[in-house]
């Protein structure tokens, strides 16, 4: 077999995809570590909501999408942005309020959008992007180009009526949209069992949506389900509801440091030790001999250098001119 044939073989393609997913998960993890560092150094205005611990969800799903497929995100949206292909240097610039940011510094952490990669925006309003994602799916269906939309939201959005309104319409109109509930167990500072009655998965089945749950810490499992649901939507079979059971390592936001009044340190440590999505994935890659430790260490080192360069860029780049304060502001 020639080198060209080897590179295009199913095994080689699969390996390339797995390593790309591993890189993206490391990008999210190391991006968020830098965000926390910027906050503690008082270089970042406002707060940010870290995605550490949930990397397998964003990566597993976005790797099943095409470049022109749509996503909408949440206040905890950095991971989704990175997984869909956003550039870390422009993301950091946005967090610091700089002109080079995706929204020229006006959106900040919770409103990053990048239409070029199909990212219709993070959203500070709980369930605020549900209508946007459903509208994008409506547009995609009528455009007839085979695009799909993914709506990411946390379990806290299950208490918002707009989510049920749009799922109803999506089912009636057979829209190509996947509603992804990232249940990280805590609605801000309250366990979801104290705020959410009944079964989460029943929300989707009640409207006739194809509904499934998956271990959100297993990127391979997430990707397998997502690929199937995306193909289903792309083929015209309508919307789906996917429950991803996951966990956020950090507090609700970067300032939420002392969390023992609503969850124990032991719980956090157990998730990190036994259910870390990057560790689970790397163990599988090593166990299947798809990569060795040196290769994975090299990827992490490359990503770490990339994130540092992106931070340096964001710090050095200028703020927008004050005359821009009222430009591109619609509400």
């Amino acid at each position: 077999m020639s080198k060209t044939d080897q590179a295009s073989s199913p095994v080689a393609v699969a390996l390339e995809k797995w390593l790309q997913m591993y890189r993206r998960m490391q990008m999210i993890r190391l991006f968020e570590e830098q965000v926390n560092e910027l906050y503690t150094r008082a270089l970042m205005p406002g707060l940010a909501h870290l995605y550490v611990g949930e990397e397998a969800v964003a990566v597993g799903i976005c790797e099943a999408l095409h470049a022109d497929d749509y996503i909408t995100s949440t206040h905890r949206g950095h991971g989704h942005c990175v997984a869909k292909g956003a550039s870390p240097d422009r993301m950091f610039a946005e967090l610091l309020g700089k002109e080079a940011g995706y929204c020229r510094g006006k959106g900040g952490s919770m409103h990053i959008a990048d239409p070029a990669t199909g990212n219709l925006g993070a959203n500070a309003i709980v369930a605020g992007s549900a209508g946007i994602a459903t509208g994008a799916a409506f547009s995609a269906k009528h455009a007839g180009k085979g695009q799909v939309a993914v709506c990411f939201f946390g379990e806290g959005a299950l208490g918002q009526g707009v989510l049920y309104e749009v799922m109803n319409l999506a089912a009636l109109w057979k829209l190509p949209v996947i509603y992804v509930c990232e249940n990280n167990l805590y609605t801000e500072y309250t366990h979801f069992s104290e705020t959410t009655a009944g079964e989460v998965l029943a929300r989707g089945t009640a409207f006739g949506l194809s509904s499934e749950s998956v271990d959100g810490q297993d990127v391979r499992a997430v990707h397998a389900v997502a690929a199937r649901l995306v193909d289903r939507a792309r083929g015209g079979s309508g919307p789906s509801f996917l429950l991803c059971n996951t966990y956020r390592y950090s507090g609700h936001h970067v300032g939420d440091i002392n969390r023992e009044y609503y969850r124990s340190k032991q719980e956090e440590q157990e998730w990190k030790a036994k259910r870390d999505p990057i560790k689970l994935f790397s163990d599988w890659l090593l166990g299947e001999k798809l990569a060795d430790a040196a290769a994975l260490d090299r990827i992490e080192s490359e990503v770490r250098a990339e994130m540092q360069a992106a931070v340096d860029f964001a710090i050095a780049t200028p703020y927008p001119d004050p005359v821009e304060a009222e430009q591109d502001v619609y509400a």
Side-chain angles (χ1 to χ4, degrees):
M1 183 182 292
S2 69
K3 289 185 177 180
T4 301
D5 291 336
Q6 288 176 350
S8 60
S9 72
V11 173
V13 171
L15 177 56
E16 182 180 359
K17 188 180 188 70
W18 294 136
L19 293 181
Q20 166 71 6
M21 291 166 69
Y22 181 79
R23 179 179 292 273
R24 282 284 167 87
M25 291 173 73
Q26 286 285 7
M27 287 179 67
I28 296 171
R29 177 71 56 92
L30 297 175
F31 181 94
E32 298 292 57
E33 288 182 4
Q34 288 284 4
V35 172
N36 192 59
E37 178 71 13
L38 289 170
Y39 173 75
T40 56
R41 291 171 60 193
L43 294 176
M44 183 182 72
L47 298 171
H49 305 75
L50 304 183
Y51 197 71
V52 176
E54 304 180 41
E55 296 90 350
V57 178
V59 172
I61 290 170
C62 288
E63 283 294 321
L65 300 176
H66 294 168
D68 62 348
D69 288 331
Y70 301 112
I71 68 165
T72 61
S73 185
T74 70
H75 59 278
R76 197 177 308 283
H78 304 159
H80 307 135
C81 295
V82 171
K84 195 60 169 70
S87 176
D89 54 0
R90 294 190 65 190
M91 288 180 64
F92 280 124
E94 186 61 38
L95 265 63
L96 299 187
K98 300 299 188 72
E99 183 180 17
Y102 275 107
C103 302
R104 299 184 69 81
K106 295 178 181 177
S109 171
M110 291 185 281
H111 296 96
I112 294 175
D114 179 25
T117 60
N119 180 359
L120 302 182
N123 202 305
I125 300 172
V126 175
S129 71
I132 298 171
T134 308
F138 180 85
S139 172
K141 179 173 182 177
H142 286 272
K145 298 179 180 178
Q147 294 163 289
V148 304
V150 171
C151 177
F152 290 101
F153 57 93
E155 79 286 342
L158 298 173
Q160 299 296 320
V162 65
L163 180 63
Y164 304 109
E165 294 175 24
V166 298
M167 287 199 299
N168 180 65
L169 291 176
L172 289 171
W173 298 339
K174 296 188 71 173
L175 300 183
V177 56
I178 303 165
Y179 298 99
V180 178
C181 178
E182 298 179 295
N183 184 357
N184 62 24
L185 299 186
Y186 292 93
T187 304
E188 291 194 352
Y189 316 110
T190 307
H191 195 275
F192 84 99
S193 62
E194 299 180 49
T195 63
T196 308
E199 296 296 326
V200 172
L201 208 59
R203 267 69 173 177
T205 56
F207 292 98
L209 274 63
S210 175
S211 302
E212 300 187 42
S213 63
V214 68
D215 178 1
Q217 305 306 91
D218 183 345
V219 70
R220 294 185 299 121
V222 173
H223 182 64
V225 176
R228 180 159 37 80
L229 296 182
V230 167
D231 286 346
R232 180 181 181 276
R234 214 183 294 284
S237 295
S240 302
F241 183 96
L242 178 59
L243 169 61
C244 297
N245 297 301
T246 184
Y247 192 79
R248 59 168 163 86
Y249 287 0
S250 303
H252 172 58
H253 54 71
V254 286
D256 179 15
I257 305 299
N258 300 313
R259 299 181 288 276
E260 290 188 81
Y261 67 94
Y262 70 91
R263 73 184 198 191
S264 68
K265 286 185 178 180
Q266 180 182 355
E267 177 184 292
E268 294 180 3
Q269 291 167 354
E270 287 181 354
W271 275 88
K272 292 177 182 179
K274 300 177 182 179
R275 301 296 300 148
D276 181 79
I278 295 179
K279 179 67 163 53
L280 291 173
F281 192 31
S282 65
D283 284 349
W284 178 80
L285 290 170
L286 295 171
E288 294 294 316
K289 294 182 171 48
L290 295 172
D292 56 26
L296 298 185
D297 288 345
R298 183 166 58 253
I299 290 174
E300 181 179 350
S301 295
E302 291 170 356
V303 172
R304 195 174 294 278
E306 179 184 353
M307 292 304 142
Q308 186 58 59
V311 168
D312 293 342
F313 165 83
I315 292 175
T317 197
Y319 290 99
D321 191 298
V323 300
E324 294 189 24
E326 296 181 359
Q327 295 178 6
D328 303 315
V329 177
Y330 303 100

